[in-house]
Amino acid sequence: QVQLQESGPGLVKPSQTLSLTCTVSGGSISSGANYWTWIRQHPGKGLEWIGNIYHTGSTSYKSSLKSRLAISVDTSNNQFSLELRSVTAADTAVYYCARRGDHFSYDNWGLGTLVTVSS
Amino acid sequence: DIQMTQSPSSLSASVGDRVTITCRASQHIGRFLNWYQQKPGKAPKLLIYAASNLQSGVPSRFSGSGSATDFTLIIATLQSEDFATYYCQQGYSTPETFGQGTRVEIK
């Protein structure tokens, strides 16, 4: 059973960079047709797809975040990462990493990590 | 971007009730529609994939149907553990958008 776990700072200052890593265990990040994805949820709100990456490094980003966003993969450590630059309070959210599996659905999720943007 | 619209946004129901939630896509998405359940403080859990396929381990009281633009999630006999928020999500094209959620509350 694949498991995902997010890690990174819970507090980021405005204008700085939010950096999170998702560690995948129980399976290889390079196997199958999986897309490794970041999804966020603003407090009390719905789910927002941010972007994804394939193990080859091919990425897809939400257009409104594209200028500030970078997702990368480290296959040797079975991890993928998110960097969101120039953050504001509007980026305060729970950030989830998830696996998009064979059926274009998210069948494995991390527990989520709350990131607060505040000085 | 494909817009996903769920209805209702919330509903009150009793244990044993039949619950129906609908999801409409702003354009044709085939059967690339998934349903999730989320409880407070928890990650979403996949219930239904590809419109009508029950994810492994999900109780059979959950079912999904639909294609193209209109989809339905049914909980045949609501149980106490089913009080949660439900989201639809399209996997047809990126960005892979979610509906706004339907909160199922205890009547």
Side-chain angles (χ1 to χ4, degrees):
Chain A
Q1 173 75 356
V2 171
Q3 293 186 315
L4 295 85
Q5 182 164 347
E6 305 89 353
S7 59
L11 180 64
V12 181
K13 289 182 167 49
S15 80
Q16 295 193 343
T17 297
L18 182 162
S19 298
L20 296 173
T21 295
C22 183
T23 300
V24 179
S25 59
S28 172
I29 204 168
S30 301
S31 68
N34 301 312
Y35 282 78
W36 304 95
T37 306
W38 290 98
I39 293 164
R40 70 180 180 181
Q41 187 168 35
H42 294 102
K45 302 298 184 183
L47 299 162
E48 178 186 20
W49 185 92
I50 295 173
N52 67 23
I53 190 164
Y54 194 58
H55 66 86
T56 57
S58 174
T59 55
S60 181
Y61 297 152
K62 182 169 183 172
S63 57
S64 62
L65 296 173
K66 193 171 185 176
S67 63
R68 301 192 290 130
L69 182 61
I71 298 176
S72 58
V73 65
D74 179 354
T75 55
S76 60
N77 287 307
N78 234 30
Q79 296 175 328
F80 63 106
S81 298
L82 165 78
E83 282 197 349
L84 185 63
R85 297 176 293 274
S86 304
V87 297
T88 70
D91 295 309
T92 293
V94 174
Y95 287 77
Y96 294 101
C97 58
R99 181 183 80 166
R100 194 191 82 172
D102 293 339
H103 304 289
F104 298 86
S105 60
Y106 295 99
D107 57 0
N108 281 277
W109 296 68
L111 297 178
T113 187
L114 173 63
V115 180
T116 301
V117 179
S118 174
S119 56
Chain B
D1 298 1
I2 298 174
Q3 306 303 313
M4 306 300 293
T5 304
Q6 288 181 234
S7 62
S9 295
S10 65
L11 64 90
S12 295
S14 301
V15 171
D17 285 353
R18 178 182 176 91
V19 169
T20 301
I21 300 169
T22 64
C23 179
R24 175 164 287 177
S26 61
Q27 65 185 72
H28 187 292
I29 59 169
R31 293 177 59 82
F32 289 93
L33 190 283
N34 309 303
W35 290 98
Y36 301 85
Q37 176 194 68
Q38 187 179 33
K39 296 183 178 179
K42 301 293 187 182
K45 171 187 172 183
L46 178 64
L47 298 176
I48 302 283
Y49 63 89
S52 62
N53 295 275
L54 197 67
Q55 174 69 353
S56 176
V58 174
S60 60
R61 63 181 178 272
F62 292 93
S63 64
S65 64
S67 65
T69 61
D70 292 298
F71 302 87
T72 301
L73 173 70
I74 291 176
I75 309 173
T77 308
L78 195 67
Q79 301 299 304
S80 58
E81 60 266 32
D82 301 335
F83 291 98
T85 300
Y86 293 84
Y87 294 94
C88 62
Q89 172 250 329
Q90 62 85 11
Y92 181 80
S93 66
T94 58
E96 295 181 4
T97 41
F98 292 83
Q100 81 279 17
T102 295
R103 185 173 178 181
V104 177
E105 300 175 317
I106 301 171
K107 182 182 284 184

